[in-house]
Amino acid sequence: MRPGVSARGVPWAARHVGPGSVPSRADQELDAFTPTLRAPPQAIYFLHIAKTGGTSVHRFLEAALPPGRMSPVRTWDDFARLDPEARGRYQVFSAHLMDSLEPYFGSALATVTLLRDPVERTVSHYAHVARDAASPLHALAQRLSFAEFCRHPDARWLIENYQARQLAGRFDDALALAISTRSSEVARLGVAATLERMLAECFDDADVLRARASARLNSCVAVGVTVRLDDT
């Protein structure tokens, strides 16, 4: 575990990377911790992984749902700005919040997600960062070719096993964790980028990452793929 990050803030699978590791009683108690704030029963979460075509799903939900049903939150920065009393008021969430929304609310959500070919997704993400001046890595993407960007250590958190990390990364209270342990980084990059950079530091064991991501997919109520988005 890295200095300054509490055990509660790090996914169990990121703390135990050895083959056949068994959680201790203390770890089980930590992972069983549930905050008092809860989402409405049967709330739905579209776990939107960046550049998978999820914006089309988000727009569909916006058009299909009555006003006030879907949370306005799209990123962790939006979540931080929203009145804490209102965060659990909504019945549908469609956002880039990795797999950390359930532990924040302390209740299960009916989760759906969308996956894309990893190479196509990475190309799309690079192009987005290169044209979006608000991106923390905009200047880097403007300066580097696609191949150079993918190899650059500062871009690792946007490239390496991105979809698997979004599915496997579970922080108990992501907002508190980022603000309390990386306040200077939050001030410079924002909450969302800071958490994604922290997520890139987890799961050094690829087998553990794959197992955790697969387990999360199996627990989703629906999983779509970008190439068949119309069918999804």
Side-chain angles (χ1 to χ4, degrees):
M1 189 185 308
R2 289 162 177 78
V5 180
S6 69
R8 279 192 52 234
V10 181
W12 181 86
R15 303 199 300 269
H16 301 265
V17 296
S21 296
V22 177
S24 67
R25 183 185 181 95
D27 286 321
Q28 291 174 329
E29 290 173 353
L30 287 169
D31 289 339
F33 174 84
T34 54
T36 55
L37 179 62
R38 291 181 177 274
Q42 303 301 312
I44 296 170
Y45 173 35
F46 171 48
L47 196 167
H48 186 176
I49 300 173
K51 314 316 295 179
T52 58
T55 299
S56 297
V57 176
H58 179 80
R59 289 172 179 161
F60 169 81
L61 292 171
E62 272 189 320
L65 292 168
R69 291 279 299 278
M70 187 163 73
S71 170
V73 164
R74 296 291 285 131
T75 68
W76 282 112
D77 296 276
D78 296 337
F79 207 74
R81 288 187 288 265
L82 189 65
D83 180 353
E85 294 298 319
R87 289 174 186 165
R89 183 179 300 162
Y90 301 93
Q91 294 175 302
V92 179
F93 300 85
S94 172
H96 303 283
L97 302 177
M98 56 189 81
D99 190 32
S100 293
L101 195 57
E102 279 190 348
Y104 180 85
F105 287 129
S107 58
L109 305 174
T111 301
V112 300
T113 195
L114 191 63
L115 301 178
R116 186 176 186 180
D117 174 88
V119 175
E120 292 180 1
R121 195 214 68 81
T122 301
V123 170
S124 179
H125 212 157
Y126 166 75
H128 173 82
V129 170
R131 66 175 177 264
D132 182 9
S135 169
L137 296 181
H138 174 69
L140 188 68
Q142 288 269 298
R143 189 173 79 248
L144 301 179
S145 68
F146 173 68
E148 291 169 334
F149 184 83
C150 289
R151 290 193 295 264
H152 199 285
D154 289 346
R156 177 182 174 230
W157 56 281
L158 281 184
I159 304 298
E160 187 175 308
N161 293 322
Y162 185 85
Q163 294 178 94
R165 291 181 188 277
Q166 292 291 310
L167 292 164
R170 175 171 282 229
F171 298 121
D172 287 341
D173 189 338
L175 281 180
L177 179 66
I179 293 168
S180 64
T181 65
R182 304 284 183 96
S183 57
S184 60
E185 201 170 332
V186 168
R188 182 167 55 92
L189 302 175
V191 179
T194 299
L195 283 167
E196 292 206 0
R197 285 163 64 94
M198 293 172 69
L199 194 57
E201 299 170 6
C202 299
F203 301 107
D204 294 330
D205 187 311
D207 290 335
V208 171
L209 174 60
R210 182 167 51 251
R212 184 65 179 265
S214 296
R216 188 63 183 101
L217 284 176
N218 287 335
S219 70
C220 290
V221 297
V223 177
V225 289
T226 307
V227 291
R228 299 187 61 183
L229 185 57
D230 291 341
D231 296 335
T232 303

